[in-house]
Amino acid sequence: MSMNNAPNVFLDPNANRFQVNIINEDHDNSETTQEDVGSDPPHYEETSFTDETHNRLRISYRPGKRELYDNFRQNGEKTEASLHPYDTHSKMYYLQTFGHNTMDPVPKIDYYRNTGSVSGNKLNRPSLLEIHEQLAKNIAVSTGSVERVANGDSTAGDETALSKEEENKTGFVKFGWVKGVLVRCMLNIWGVMLFIRLSWIVGQAGIGLGIIVIALSVVVTTLTGISMSAICTNGVVRGGGAYYLISRSLGPEFGGSIGLIFAFANAVAVAMYVVGFAETVVELLKESDTLMVDESNDIRIIGTITVVCLLGISVAGMEWEAKAQVILLIVLLVAIANFFIGTVIPTNTEKKARGFFNYQASIFAENFGPDFRSGEGFFSVFAIFFPAATGILAGANISGDLKDPQSAIPQGTMLAIVITTIAYIAVAICAASCVVRDATGNVNDTIVPGMSCNGSSACGLGYDFSRCASQPCDYGLMNNFQVMSMVSGFGPLITAGIFSATLSSALASLVSAPKVFQALCKDNVYKGLEFFAKGYGKNNEPIRGYVLTFVIAMAFILIAELNTIAPIISNFFLASYALINFSCFHASYAKSPGWRPAFRYYNMWVSLFGALLCCGVMFVINWWAALITYAIELFLYIYVTYKKPEVNWGSSTQALYFVNALDSALALTTVEDHVKNFRPQCLALTGAPMVRPALLDITHTFTKNNGLCICCEVYTGPRKLCVKEMNSSMEKKQAWLTKNKRKAFYAAVAADSFRDGVKSLLQASGLGRMKPNTLVIGFKKDWRSAPATQVENYVGIIHDAFDFELGVIIVRISQGFDISPVLQVQEELEKLEQERLALEATIKENDFEEGKKGICGFFKKASTLSISKHETKKESTINTIQSMHVGEFNQRLLEASTQFKKKQGKGTIDIWWLFDDGGLTILIPYILTIRKKWKNCKLRIFTGGKVNRIEEEKLVMASLLSKFRIKFADINIICDINIKPNKESWKFFEEMIEPYRLHESCKDITTAEKLKRETPWKITDAELEAFKEKSYRQVRLNELLQEHSRAANLIVLSLPVARKGAVSDYLYMAWLEILSKNLPPVLMVRGNHKNVLTFYS
């Protein structure tokens, strides 16, 4: 369908984005108008089949029939013709989207929101299962619901509208990029340094190097601004400023560490700026001789009053704070303009004596080069100036209060950097072009005829300041910090500018610190700080954070030792800048598809350079402060990493983990396997890992930090239910493994039978070289009562493992592995306990309501409470009795399920290495002995041999084990393995297999053949006779095991192999049963007959 033929669709604001046909269902009027055929392009029909098979609907997309299209609003309102859009049973009209009925929603932003989004409610699109599975016929579709689903609307959409209306009613304040970012950044960057230090800096460094100092500082801030812009435009930005940007990019470890020190730095910065303001006020009081107490105490008094006033403005709300910032900016701009005006106002004699001569080329030339004095150099001057260029995060720090942080932060920050840079350079050049470096301030120091001069520019202008070379002078760029006041048209305006600069920076920091801290506390990165996460009022103001910031600021104002801590604060800010740059680099380097910033003017290597530059500047400013900053950040990083906050923000760190893991896995595929690097990589058939914990524990013992462990579960039954249950429980079971510190993966398959599922797992599990090479299964304890198909599947799995060349380990413990009955009882008891607690809460709530009605209610409440307490006590007693009964009944099972978690005492691991399988039988117990829980156990080796060669066999085995570097406590050569077992043991074996024997020799041929066909799984007499010797051996081995290894902590035994098609399943299970019966935990091991041990280096 050509969209170009219908421009009105795009022009009509009420039109749906998809064109909808209303088709007349009346078959009498279904004739097609043929006059349009010649002019119209070919059209295509699509038939929609519904439950009403007698109605065949034709969808026709014809440009000539636009008058039949109705533009339905997304909320499902009726059109003017009052035609219901989804009356599926009416003969009149039928609405079709995309040409057919569908539950598929069209793309809409509400489906992509996070839960709890403040900008709108999250909608849930139909699941794939709902769309994929057959639609139930008894579902009643409510009026208009299909249209709303198809167009991405639902009741949640109405809720979103209501929430927005509520926001408007409550006056939720949001700022644009000018008032929210530009104004704040300009005020924060234009600090007191502009008025009282810039002239000294340009005097020391000269115009040329002074501009380089400014430019180098701006390079740092610009690179940081670019990186910040890229991060801001890569998704919705919430409150928290630098902390939010870093934590969402690099994860909670970096974000949590920098967030805390950044909030603290802003809190202390409040004290720094307020003290700067108080010092200026005290200087004025000192000039007029009106000090209250003394200088230091006056600073404390004025600072305290100032912080209280600023706190009042902040607590009043962001709107008042923003208005105050605008007023302060106007004052600041007037002060700067006042300076520039003053440079062109003709100077007077007094100002000339102080070194101001208006614009002079000679002064410009003289001041262009550097003249470092008093041990100053380029980097020391740079260190003094750089804090003046900071403040670019002032807008980002209130990101939660911006209308559109994604566009406001980049736009406002970058423009603020440009404007303030121009102002700094202009002030520096103008000051250095008008004022000489040294001046006496004495109006009589003029040059008279015949007087010699030092040839300075002042000499050419009629003044002799040569004595400043030998004695200190009070005026000029190098000596007077009040040059801007002297040059300006009206001096008090510069003082007002200083007040504005200090107060605006203090106010910005006082707002930034609580906002950042509140965001940090909301994320619960530090568990003890939730108290400060609560917000108040329409703007969710962090009142508690304001109070905390006020306390910190007051403490540092009263201490009044800011000169020491100032470098640390500067380094804290620089550390934030470094991490913002590194975040941008890291996100780009990780190559995550989710990294799609709208801001394109960045480069990952430039961001990395910016990060390194920030780190370098930290050391330039103050090396010991830089070291302290790194130490604090490292400590907090380790703390957050150790605590592992339960958050998942899709950080670039996660993306890089994936990339590194993928690269490593691919690199591993190019490396050939070598026997020296063999490690057991186990596929353990645990089912749900919490159901058979002992099987997982013993497997995990020899795979932890050493090999791959995959816990596998096979779902059998109706495919739809199996797949649904499997998908819903995957994350839960992997989370259980993580919570219980099991370094294992969980994998599940849905299959028609247990054996088919395991066969799929054996073939498809793993990745590249990280594939299972050993199957670990529990012994099937109920094989005698289980259906024949289950036994066939169990033995078939062992055959399949051997077919796929995997080793097999069968683990048997006396109580079995499955503790699902215990888990089920525990779950039921937990539910009862929850119900009891809920009932108690309801009773207390009802009693409280009744108690409000008067004295009668009070007595009724008291009696009810006493009854409820008695009933609760009774219920509690019953539950306790039940728990005790269940605990006693399952005590042995529970103890058995945790036996491999406990530290094993001094004892032995007995290895019955009867057959050479490549060494897996000896490698597994060796790995166990190097684990902490098994290190007190010694290895005892048992192997077969001849009576007349016992010592030689011992020496051969000892030599082999020593070459393998495997320590052992003892070697036993067993010479009587092949003798017949005693009669009692053999009788027990015969009685065990009796129910599964065919006894065909006692029947006629016809009957015997019939029985073989009906019960092919039974043990025939011929089979039993053919494998009689092997059966004898298994029974005899159990006798020997009882004799030698009854007291062992663990027995590792060579697993007998049954030939496919020759040994029946029940006979093989009887072998395994008799072999491992009435023994300590047994591992029956059979490798894949490929070497897993070597004695070569």
Side-chain angles (χ1 to χ4, degrees):
M1 178 178 70
S2 174
M3 302 301 286
N4 296 329
N5 296 326
N8 59 310
V9 174
F10 298 99
L11 295 175
D12 187 357
N14 296 321
N16 272 350
R17 57 189 294 192
F18 296 102
Q19 298 177 16
V20 180
N21 250 354
I22 299 179
I23 303 298
N24 192 338
E25 293 186 3
D26 192 352
H27 288 274
D28 297 334
N29 297 326
S30 60
E31 299 170 4
T32 309
T33 55
Q34 300 295 327
E35 59 271 15
D36 295 325
V37 172
S39 59
D40 287 351
H43 65 272
Y44 302 93
E45 295 183 355
E46 181 178 332
T47 304
S48 176
F49 299 98
T50 65
D51 292 336
E52 299 175 353
T53 53
H54 61 281
N55 283 339
R56 190 173 297 274
L57 307 178
R58 182 175 62 208
I59 308 305
S60 179
Y61 296 98
R62 291 181 180 170
K65 296 294 180 182
R66 296 297 179 198
E67 69 275 3
L68 294 179
Y69 296 168
D70 275 347
N71 295 322
F72 291 101
R73 292 186 177 89
Q74 290 189 353
N75 60 6
E77 293 177 357
K78 294 183 181 180
T79 60
E80 291 179 4
S82 298
L83 300 175
H84 197 284
Y86 274 93
D87 188 0
T88 56
H89 300 285
S90 169
K91 259 191 109 181
M92 291 296 294
Y93 292 91
Y94 199 87
L95 181 69
Q96 309 264 349
T97 305
F98 297 111
H100 62 281
N101 293 330
T102 180
M103 284 183 68
D104 264 346
V106 298
K108 186 168 184 177
I109 192 171
D110 291 335
Y111 294 124
Y112 298 90
R113 297 190 191 280
N114 286 337
T115 306
S117 171
V118 295
S119 57
N121 286 5
K122 175 180 172 60
L123 300 185
N124 292 319
R125 69 176 65 81
S127 68
L128 187 61
L129 192 66
E130 291 171 332
I131 294 171
H132 186 222
E133 292 293 336
Q134 189 174 7
L135 188 66
K137 292 184 179 180
N138 59 351
I139 293 177
V141 181
S142 61
T143 303
S145 64
V146 181
E147 193 270 346
R148 291 165 71 82
V149 170
N151 290 285
D153 281 340
S154 71
T155 55
D158 299 334
E159 290 172 13
T160 305
L162 288 172
S163 68
K164 287 180 180 175
E165 285 176 15
E166 201 172 321
E167 280 182 9
N168 293 334
K169 285 177 185 176
T170 56
F172 194 67
V173 179
K174 292 285 188 179
F175 301 114
W177 71 273
V178 175
K179 191 185 283 189
V181 182
L182 180 65
V183 170
R184 291 174 187 279
C185 287
M186 287 170 64
L187 282 169
N188 238 27
I189 296 171
W190 278 332
V192 72
M193 195 74 68
L194 175 67
F195 297 100
I196 62 175
R197 284 290 186 275
L198 188 57
S199 58
W200 177 86
I201 287 166
V202 77
Q204 289 275 355
I207 295 172
L209 284 181
I211 291 174
I212 292 175
V213 166
I214 296 170
L216 185 56
S217 303
V218 170
V219 165
V220 175
T221 55
T222 303
L223 294 181
T224 306
I226 290 171
S227 298
M228 184 172 64
S229 300
I231 297 170
C232 287
T233 57
N234 191 53
V236 175
V237 178
R238 300 294 179 213
Y243 160 72
Y244 185 91
L245 299 178
I246 294 169
S247 62
R248 267 49 176 186
S249 295
L250 292 178
E253 296 83 8
F254 280 108
S257 59
I258 202 65
L260 199 59
I261 65 174
F262 185 71
F264 177 76
N266 273 287
V268 178
V270 175
M272 289 175 59
Y273 295 129
V274 167
V275 167
F277 168 77
E279 283 179 349
T280 307
V281 175
V282 168
E283 284 294 324
L284 294 175
L285 294 175
K286 192 176 175 183
E287 287 177 9
S288 59
D289 197 22
T290 54
L291 287 175
M292 291 177 280
V293 185
D294 55 52
E295 285 189 38
S296 58
N297 284 316
D298 280 14
I299 288 172
R300 292 186 177 100
I301 294 167
I302 295 168
T304 302
I305 296 169
T306 306
V307 170
V308 171
C309 294
L310 293 177
L311 180 66
I313 294 172
S314 300
V315 172
M318 288 296 294
E319 196 170 7
W320 285 97
E321 189 266 349
K323 289 175 181 176
Q325 292 281 28
V326 171
I327 294 169
L328 292 172
L329 179 64
I330 292 170
V331 173
L332 194 60
L333 290 173
V334 170
I336 295 171
N338 176 48
F339 167 76
F340 289 117
I341 292 169
T343 59
V344 296
I345 295 175
T347 185
N348 55 35
T349 305
E350 185 182 353
K351 287 185 178 182
K352 283 182 179 180
R354 293 182 179 184
F356 174 52
F357 297 94
N358 293 113
Y359 292 104
Q360 301 292 335
S362 60
I363 296 177
F364 178 88
E366 184 179 71
N367 289 341
F368 190 83
D371 184 16
F372 295 113
R373 301 178 191 174
S374 304
E376 300 292 346
F378 176 81
F379 288 109
S380 64
V381 171
F382 171 78
I384 291 169
F385 173 78
F386 183 78
T390 60
I392 60 170
L393 296 179
N397 287 339
I398 63 157
S399 52
D401 297 295
L402 301 175
K403 290 178 184 174
D404 184 11
Q406 288 176 275
S407 63
I409 293 174
Q411 195 173 354
T413 304
M414 298 309 291
L415 186 57
I417 291 172
V418 171
I419 293 172
T420 53
T421 302
I422 292 170
Y424 272 127
I425 293 174
V427 169
I429 293 173
C430 291
S433 302
C434 298
V435 182
V436 296
R437 280 193 167 104
D438 297 294
T440 60
N442 189 347
V443 293
N444 297 320
D445 286 341
T446 56
I447 297 176
V448 294
M451 186 179 186
S452 63
C453 192
N454 59 3
S456 65
S457 57
C459 291
L461 295 170
Y463 280 83
D464 179 18
F465 299 141
S466 57
R467 64 189 174 95
C468 290
S470 57
Q471 64 184 52
C473 292
D474 294 330
Y475 298 96
L477 295 175
M478 302 291 280
N479 309 306
N480 183 15
F481 291 152
Q482 303 297 328
V483 166
M484 285 192 72
S485 295
M486 178 189 68
V487 172
S488 64
F490 183 60
L493 277 179
I494 298 298
T495 304
I498 294 172
F499 289 170
S500 173
T502 51
L503 291 177
S504 63
S505 298
L507 192 56
S509 297
L510 186 58
V511 170
S512 297
K515 294 282 184 182
V516 173
F517 193 58
Q518 183 187 35
L520 178 67
C521 297
K522 275 184 178 179
D523 289 335
N524 204 18
V525 175
Y526 299 98
K527 297 293 182 185
L529 301 178
E530 299 99 329
F531 176 78
F532 295 98
K534 184 173 176 59
Y536 297 88
K538 58 189 178 184
N539 267 43
N540 196 32
E541 296 292 347
I543 303 297
R544 295 173 179 178
Y546 283 132
V547 173
L548 179 64
T549 305
F550 171 77
V551 170
I552 294 171
M554 280 300 303
F556 281 97
I557 288 170
L558 296 176
I559 292 169
E561 290 292 335
L562 296 179
N563 288 337
T564 305
I565 204 165
I568 300 176
I569 302 307
S570 296
N571 275 298
F572 280 1
F573 286 125
L574 273 168
S576 305
Y577 294 175
L579 279 179
I580 288 173
N581 282 299
F582 185 72
S583 298
C584 183
F585 162 76
H586 200 270
S588 304
Y589 183 73
K591 297 182 177 67
S592 171
W595 174 248
R596 302 184 300 275
F599 184 84
R600 296 293 181 186
Y601 307 104
Y602 75 97
N603 180 275
M604 59 185 284
W605 300 111
V606 171
S607 295
L608 179 62
F609 172 72
L612 296 174
L613 193 59
C614 289
C615 294
V617 171
M618 288 173 69
F619 282 96
V620 168
I621 289 176
N622 193 300
W623 65 268
W624 59 263
L627 291 177
I628 291 173
T629 304
Y630 286 133
I632 294 172
E633 190 174 331
L634 181 63
F635 170 77
L636 293 173
Y637 179 88
I638 293 170
Y639 174 81
V640 177
T641 304
Y642 175 75
K643 289 296 182 181
K644 291 183 180 175
E646 295 179 0
V647 294
N648 182 9
W649 296 321
S651 65
S652 59
T653 307
Q654 293 174 339
L656 198 60
Y657 282 161
F658 179 85
V659 171
N660 290 339
L662 187 62
D663 290 342
S664 299
L666 289 170
L668 200 59
T669 58
T670 63
V671 179
E672 291 293 328
D673 288 332
H674 194 280
V675 64
K676 285 198 294 185
N677 294 322
F678 177 87
R679 57 196 67 219
Q681 307 205 97
C682 298
L683 189 146
L685 296 184
T686 58
M690 63 284 290
V691 170
R692 292 176 180 82
L695 183 61
L696 172 59
D697 289 337
I698 189 64
T699 308
H700 188 254
T701 304
F702 52 78
T703 60
K704 181 184 178 183
N705 299 328
N706 188 54
L708 180 70
C709 180
I710 305 176
C711 299
C712 298
E713 184 171 11
V714 178
Y715 289 86
T716 57
R719 183 174 179 81
K720 182 178 178 180
L721 295 176
C722 286
V723 171
K724 185 177 180 181
E725 185 182 354
M726 181 179 72
N727 291 340
S728 63
S729 64
M730 290 281 280
E731 289 185 8
K732 176 186 173 185
K733 289 168 183 175
Q734 184 63 56
W736 185 91
L737 289 170
T738 305
K739 182 182 177 183
N740 288 272
K741 298 180 180 177
R742 297 291 177 267
K743 295 185 178 181
F745 299 96
Y746 172 77
V749 292
D752 296 330
S753 71
F754 182 67
R755 183 177 180 182
D756 288 342
V758 176
K759 201 181 292 185
S760 300
L761 290 166
L762 290 171
Q763 295 177 85
S765 294
L767 184 70
R769 298 283 182 196
M770 294 185 295
K771 289 180 71 70
N773 53 32
T774 307
L775 173 68
V776 182
I777 55 175
F779 178 71
K780 188 169 179 60
K781 195 179 176 186
D782 65 341
W783 65 275
R784 281 185 277 184
S785 59
T789 52
Q790 287 188 14
V791 178
E792 181 185 359
N793 281 338
Y794 182 83
V795 178
I797 287 166
I798 299 171
H799 288 309
D800 293 336
F802 289 144
D803 287 342
F804 297 129
E805 295 189 341
L806 271 74
V808 174
I809 300 175
I810 300 176
V811 188
R812 181 173 186 179
I813 58 176
S814 57
Q815 297 299 318
F817 292 104
D818 192 353
I819 63 166
S820 53
V822 179
L823 295 176
Q824 189 175 356
V825 171
Q826 286 178 350
E827 189 177 346
E828 288 173 1
L829 289 175
E830 284 174 6
K831 284 181 181 177
L832 287 171
E833 181 66 15
Q834 288 174 0
E835 289 173 4
R836 184 182 67 80
L837 292 173
L839 182 62
E840 278 185 17
T842 306
I843 290 171
K844 286 179 181 178
E845 188 178 343
N846 292 339
D847 290 341
F848 180 73
E849 293 296 328
E850 289 174 2
K852 290 180 180 177
K853 296 177 182 177
I855 191 70
C856 296
F858 173 77
F859 286 114
K860 186 176 180 182
K861 174 185 173 184
S863 60
T864 311
L865 276 174
S866 63
I867 292 167
S868 67
K869 283 179 183 176
H870 177 71
E871 289 176 350
T872 302
K873 187 176 179 183
K874 185 178 177 182
E875 288 176 12
S876 178
T877 307
I878 292 169
N879 285 341
T880 305
I881 292 168
Q882 288 178 346
S883 300
M884 287 173 63
H885 176 70
V886 171
E888 289 171 6
F889 184 75
N890 293 300
Q891 188 63 33
R892 294 172 66 190
L893 180 58
L894 285 170
E895 285 180 2
S897 70
T898 60
Q899 62 182 306
F900 297 126
K901 289 181 182 176
K902 300 172 184 174
K903 187 171 183 178
Q904 305 294 318
K906 287 187 177 181
T908 63
I909 298 175
D910 288 0
I911 306 169
W912 290 71
W913 195 11
L914 305 175
F915 310 107
D916 195 330
D917 59 352
L920 188 65
T921 308
I922 201 79
L923 180 63
I924 294 294
Y926 166 74
I927 293 172
L928 289 176
T929 59
I930 63 176
R931 301 300 187 192
K932 194 180 294 183
K933 291 174 184 173
W934 292 85
K935 68 179 181 179
N936 292 327
C937 294
K938 306 297 183 184
L939 297 183
R940 292 199 304 172
I941 313 299
F942 295 82
T943 188
K946 296 179 181 178
V947 178
N948 58 352
R949 287 179 53 84
I950 290 178
E951 293 304 320
E952 290 87 339
E953 296 282 0
K954 274 190 179 182
L955 289 172
V956 170
M957 179 57 70
S959 174
L960 180 62
L961 292 174
S962 63
K963 285 185 177 181
F964 288 146
R965 288 92 60 202
I966 293 175
K967 293 180 181 180
F968 56 90
D970 192 16
I971 295 176
N972 294 276
I973 306 299
I974 308 299
C975 305
D976 52 352
I977 293 176
N978 291 323
I979 67 173
K980 285 186 180 181
N982 62 49
K983 290 181 180 179
E984 290 78 10
S985 301
W986 181 250
K987 184 180 179 183
F988 177 83
F989 179 77
E990 285 186 321
E991 288 174 354
M992 182 172 60
I993 64 172
E994 180 61 33
Y996 315 108
R997 290 187 61 181
L998 192 63
H999 290 293
E1000 78 278 9
S1001 58
C1002 302
K1003 301 176 178 64
D1004 59 79
I1005 297 174
T1006 307
T1007 307
E1009 291 296 326
K1010 183 181 178 183
L1011 287 172
K1012 281 184 182 179
R1013 287 194 302 272
E1014 290 175 353
T1015 55
W1017 45 268
K1018 284 200 171 184
I1019 306 168
T1020 63
D1021 293 340
E1023 178 193 355
L1024 192 60
E1025 186 63 32
F1027 294 102
K1028 196 168 190 177
E1029 291 297 325
K1030 204 164 185 177
S1031 299
Y1032 280 156
R1033 189 189 303 146
Q1034 313 312 323
V1035 179
R1036 177 58 185 158
L1037 275 172
N1038 183 258
E1039 291 177 351
L1040 293 169
L1041 286 162
Q1042 297 285 349
E1043 179 184 344
H1044 295 283
S1045 298
R1046 185 67 187 241
N1049 294 53
L1050 181 70
I1051 298 173
V1052 181
L1053 175 67
S1054 290
L1055 174 70
V1057 178
R1059 291 190 178 275
K1060 286 194 298 183
V1063 180
S1064 63
D1065 298 333
Y1066 276 94
L1067 180 59
Y1068 186 61
M1069 290 303 299
W1071 288 352
L1072 301 183
E1073 172 75 34
I1074 198 65
L1075 188 61
S1076 57
K1077 188 173 180 60
N1078 297 330
L1079 289 170
V1082 178
L1083 268 63
M1084 292 177 275
V1085 181
R1086 176 66 71 153
N1088 62 358
H1089 286 242
K1090 293 179 180 178
N1091 288 348
V1092 300
L1093 296 172
T1094 182
F1095 51 81
Y1096 294 106
S1097 60

